[in-house]
Amino acid sequence: DGEFIGVGTEGGEVRFHTARPFEAAHAVRAGDAPVKHLLAVGGDRLAAMDGAGNVTIVSAGTGEVGRLGTLERGFVLAAGGGGRCIAAAGKEGVSAWSLEDDRQLVGIPAGRLRESGEYQCDIRGNPVPRLALAPERPWAAASDGPTVTVWDLEAGESLASFDADSVVESCGFDATGSR
């Protein structure tokens, strides 16, 4: 709702500040490694991924922390389904979780994300997949080159693919998730 602003730190904390007036509120430990990604997932909750690939859900209001899982060498964090689904992408594929019932979805199996012969890489030479989640379905659009594939995260199956004719820099669904 915009009441809090979360800031990830090198020490593995998420520090919350009130938006109006802007002042420090409280901090919670999300992990032991630096918090690399923060993402709003609905209500007062943020998803955090640290440098070790640990994915947690942090409540700004209560300070409660829930650990979802780990994706080694995780690079990208995305949310969809109106805050009901979260996914983390890395070199080993995509891990996904349902936040409604705290269960891990199949995601995208390791080795299946690379549909093309090219990778976009970060400064360390690690591949950085592009990832977007549909707003109303457990679907992901993922790419790490010129091919975009739509995945069913519950079944771990490819639904469709298309070639973008160049390296994809980003991808996303429309607000209905139908396009």
Side-chain angles (χ1 to χ4, degrees), residues 8-13 29-37 48-54:
T9 71
E10 285 183 322
E13 288 184 332
R29 177 152 303 284
D32 294 325
V35 176
K36 298 293 188 179
H37 302 278
M49 183 165 59
D50 69 17
N54 298 308

Side-chain angles (χ1 to χ4, degrees), residues 36-98:
K36 298 293 188 179
H37 302 278
L38 280 177
L39 186 65
V41 293
D44 72 345
R45 298 179 309 165
L46 293 176
M49 183 165 59
D50 69 17
N54 298 308
V55 180
T56 56
I57 299 295
V58 180
S59 170
T62 65
E64 183 179 330
V65 177
R67 189 164 188 276
L68 293 177
T70 301
L71 178 67
E72 290 186 41
R73 296 187 289 190
F75 301 114
V76 178
L77 194 59
R84 295 186 307 264
C85 182
I86 187 170
K91 194 169 186 176
E92 286 81 24
V94 175
S95 292
W97 298 271
S98 167

Side-chain angles (χ1 to χ4, degrees), residues 8-177:
T9 71
E10 285 183 322
E13 288 184 332
V14 176
R15 294 184 183 156
F16 290 101
H17 301 266
T18 56
R20 294 182 192 193
F22 184 76
E23 54 189 33
H26 58 278
V28 295
R29 177 152 303 284
D32 294 325
V35 176
K36 298 293 188 179
H37 302 278
L38 280 177
L39 186 65
V41 293
D44 72 345
R45 298 179 309 165
L46 293 176
M49 183 165 59
D50 69 17
N54 298 308
V55 180
T56 56
I57 299 295
V58 180
S59 170
T62 65
E64 183 179 330
V65 177
R67 189 164 188 276
L68 293 177
T70 301
L71 178 67
E72 290 186 41
R73 296 187 289 190
F75 301 114
V76 178
L77 194 59
R84 295 186 307 264
C85 182
I86 187 170
K91 194 169 186 176
E92 286 81 24
V94 175
S95 292
W97 298 271
S98 167
L99 298 181
E100 289 182 310
D101 52 10
D102 293 329
R103 67 184 167 93
Q104 186 161 3
L105 305 175
V106 173
I108 303 173
R112 297 288 310 276
L113 186 58
R114 189 175 186 200
E115 297 285 329
S116 69
E118 298 179 45
Y119 272 132
Q120 287 284 87
C121 294
D122 68 9
I123 197 166
R124 294 183 185 99
N126 297 314
V128 180
R130 306 304 183 235
L131 180 69
L133 271 60
E136 299 300 326
R137 299 180 173 106
W139 290 1
S143 176
D144 58 4
T147 302
V148 176
T149 303
V150 178
W151 295 88
D152 178 327
L153 295 173
E154 288 187 315
E157 296 176 353
S158 170
L159 300 174
S161 291
F162 64 91
D163 188 6
D165 296 325
S166 66
V167 174
V168 174
E169 295 293 332
S170 61
C171 55
F173 288 90
D174 69 348
T176 66

